[in-house]
Amino acid sequence: MWIGRRDFLAGAGAALLAGPARAGATTVGGPAFGSYWRCVLPAGARREAVAHLATGLIADLDAELSPWRDDSALSGVNRAGAGDWRPVGAATLACLSEAEAVRALTEGGFDARVGPLVARHGFGRIKGALAGEGRFELRGGAVRKSHAGLTFDPCGLAKGHALDLLVAGLAALGLSHALVEIGGEVATLGRHPSGRAWRLAIERADAPRGTALRMVRLCGLALATSAHAPQGLRGRVETSHVIDPRQGRPAAQGLAQVSVLASTGLRADALATGLLALGPHDGPRIARAAGIAALFVHPGGAERMTGGFAAHLIA
């Protein structure tokens, strides 16, 4: 089981189910990526089938995308030389493609090529001669690198991709209504078993654990939150685990946390990381221009919302 830097060190500002999962609901879950997964399902759903699906999916992603395993497909890509096409799995292709799209969307605020910088500050183990330089080229089911030292760090978006795959897997099992959570990031199918929309509270990163900041209504969207505070801690930290790729160093803590609503967990996960790294000026500016539904929380609790995020608020 791999532990990505956000799973191991983040988690503040996670989503909390608003109220118990009662009214005809049942819950199943287990470990995932150094954190956890959980599904809230209608009563009578095949819990064993869901657990089998989730366990297999997590194991497959671990084998493909773990930067903490020398035998993972990702580690093989990061060790590979330049110019040679290397076959990779669908998850690697999806994450690489999304990483490039979000890097462009955030003007470099999100960059999955910063693995060596992350390791330099003690939050990872990816080694490479370059950080934030070079490019990956994708063709069919293969990838090649422009520089031998180029690396890919999936920790800022792989959890979101796992969320999407699990939601799709539940739909394939015939489920029309479910809430899926992986390490505090959430996506939904249909409605709560009681018939209402799914309701979640966004946890406040600089307050005691379990303190709700805002309550949102989720209908077919994914919610991801990124914060500077390591998991289990509150408030400001000396060195953020979130890297500002533009500056080549840990991000300044001008924002306490950022929550993003998007059509996929993959996009929400990457955007939450990138917008937090961009800080209190560039983050909202870029989100507003791109129509990204985001909630920016400043130290002390001041808020700014963009892209229609407010329309999803309950309180």
Side-chain angles (χ1 to χ4, degrees):
M1 190 67 60
W2 65 283
I3 303 175
R5 70 177 186 275
R6 288 193 59 204
D7 298 304
F8 183 56
L9 292 163
L16 307 168
L17 189 64
R22 52 176 183 260
T26 186
T27 303
V28 60
F33 313 129
S35 188
Y36 65 92
W37 68 270
R38 177 179 65 144
C39 293
V40 181
L41 310 164
R46 294 182 293 157
R47 289 165 47 92
E48 296 81 4
V50 171
H52 179 75
L53 167 71
T55 301
L57 184 154
I58 290 163
D60 289 345
L61 288 178
D62 184 63
E64 184 173 347
L65 286 174
S66 173
W68 299 89
R69 287 177 50 169
D70 290 335
D71 64 343
S72 71
L74 173 79
S75 293
V77 169
N78 285 343
R79 289 192 301 264
D84 296 329
W85 288 101
R86 187 178 183 92
V88 292
T92 302
L93 290 171
C95 289
L96 274 169
S97 178
E98 185 70 2
E100 288 304 297
V102 175
R103 184 168 71 92
L105 187 62
T106 60
E107 300 178 9
F110 178 86
D111 195 332
R113 298 170 297 180
V114 297
L117 275 175
V118 174
R120 183 180 305 169
H121 291 282
F123 300 120
R125 59 165 297 183
I126 294 176
K127 298 178 181 179
L130 301 173
E133 299 179 14
R135 65 185 180 88
F136 290 96
E137 185 178 355
L138 308 179
R139 185 179 69 186
V143 60
R144 69 177 175 183
K145 308 192 303 186
S146 61
H147 297 74
L150 182 63
T151 59
F152 177 57
D153 181 357
C155 293
L157 73 175
K159 190 167 60 174
H161 187 49
L163 193 68
D164 295 334
L165 293 177
L166 187 48
V167 168
L170 293 177
L173 287 177
L175 286 164
S176 301
H177 307 282
L179 178 142
V180 181
E181 179 186 8
I182 300 180
E185 300 183 3
V186 183
T188 62
L189 278 172
R191 304 180 71 82
H192 187 277
S194 67
R196 61 167 170 77
W198 292 102
R199 298 196 297 255
L200 296 125
I202 298 172
E203 187 179 11
R204 184 167 172 170
D206 59 355
R209 184 162 294 282
T211 302
L213 173 69
R214 285 286 192 169
M215 189 178 296
V216 297
R217 182 184 297 106
L218 279 189
C219 293
L221 294 173
L223 171 68
T225 296
S226 186
H228 293 291
Q231 188 170 16
L233 298 179
R234 282 296 182 263
R236 295 175 68 87
V237 293
E238 184 175 346
T239 302
S240 176
H241 66 284
V242 177
I243 297 295
D244 182 347
R246 303 166 306 165
Q247 303 298 324
R249 60 174 183 254
Q253 297 181 53
L255 289 169
Q257 64 192 81
V258 177
S259 295
V260 173
L261 289 167
S263 59
T264 66
L266 185 58
R267 177 59 58 96
D269 194 5
L271 282 176
T273 301
L275 293 175
L276 182 68
L278 285 167
H281 304 294
D282 287 343
R285 173 184 63 81
I286 288 173
R288 188 166 47 248
I292 298 167
L295 167 65
F296 297 85
V297 182
H298 297 254
E303 299 176 1
R304 184 180 300 184
M305 299 182 203
T306 61
F309 193 97
H312 298 274
L313 293 180
I314 300 171

